[in-house]
């Protein structure tokens, strides 16, 4: 660990599967309230990361009409640092998603989406220093994206094996960081191609998985093989 890192408290605030629910309802916080809560959390602890685990850019007319741009603007205004990509984030087509990536100040991370040359099409990982602690964050997108959006939306893209990619990311990050976080749109549905639980069981060295996709509410997290899996339901009902 870096000097004093063992006694540094880091807060990770996260959402997943908001499906473009920007406005508050009887059951949904809405991003005005989320932004206020983020501001309060950062005031209480400046060492705060704000992450989103995908399926964010599509789902409601207020966002769909701008093909995702309104969601990007709201995430930026609320103070988000990074997001990963969910299957529904490709619903406008990959070229539009690349446009959103280029305009966004919120970093889009995914280490297992490759083009026809086997190259990353999104930033695979970042190392973010938070209160003197080096936090490595890598993104994962469910391989189910290949068929859980229109195939034409992801034509030419490959969704690599999430376990093997996670092992590669840990190997890359373990000597450069104090903490490793997987920002994953993978989920805990046992009928899925892969689960975040399976990743935690197979891959040593991931401290936290901030998860999405299965719309699971883990109120206190789920500790698997020394990896804490956190997921907060869906439709910004929780933060």
């Amino acid at each position: 660990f870096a000097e004093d890192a063992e006694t540094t408290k880091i807060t990770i605030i996260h959402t997943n599967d908001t499906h473009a629910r920007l406005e508050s309802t009887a059951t949904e916080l809405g991003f005005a309230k989320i932004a206020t809560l983020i501001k309060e959390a950062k005031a209480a602890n400046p060492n705060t990361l704000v992450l989103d685990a995908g399926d964010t850019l599509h789902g409601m007319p207020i966002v769909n009409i701008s093909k995702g741009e309104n969601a990007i603007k709201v995430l930026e205004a609320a103070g988000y640092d990074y997001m990963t990509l969910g299957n529904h984030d490709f619903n406008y087509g990959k070229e539009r998603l690349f446009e959103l990536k280029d305009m966004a100040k919120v970093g889009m991370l995914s280490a297992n989406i490759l083009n026809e040359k086997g190259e990353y099409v999104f930033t695979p990982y970042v190392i973010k220093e938070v209160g003197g602690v080096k936090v490595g964050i890598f993104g994962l997108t469910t391989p189910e994206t290949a068929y859980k959006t229109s195939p034409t939306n992801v034509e030419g893209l490959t969704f690599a094996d999430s376990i093997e990619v996670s092992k590669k990311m840990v190997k890359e990050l373990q000597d450069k960081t104090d903490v490793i976080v997987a920002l994953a749109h993978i989920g805990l549905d046992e009928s899925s191609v892969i689960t975040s639980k399976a990743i935690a069981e197979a891959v040593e060295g991931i401290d936290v998985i901030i998860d999405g996709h299965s719309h699971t509410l883990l109120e206190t997290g789920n500790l698997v093989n020394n990896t804490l899996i956190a997921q907060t339901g869906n439709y910004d009902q929780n933060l």
Side-chain angles (χ1 to χ4, degrees), residues 111-112 138-140 160-170:
N112 69 317
F138 70 92
L140 291 173
D161 185 285
S162 303
I163 289 176
E164 293 308 311
V165 168
S166 296
K167 289 178 179 177
K168 180 180 178 181
M169 289 293 103
V170 169

Side-chain angles (χ1 to χ4, degrees), residues 71-87:
I72 291 292
K73 289 179 177 177
V74 166
L75 291 179
E76 290 174 351
Y80 278 73
D81 296 298
Y82 302 102
M83 65 178 292
T84 194
L85 289 313
N87 45 294

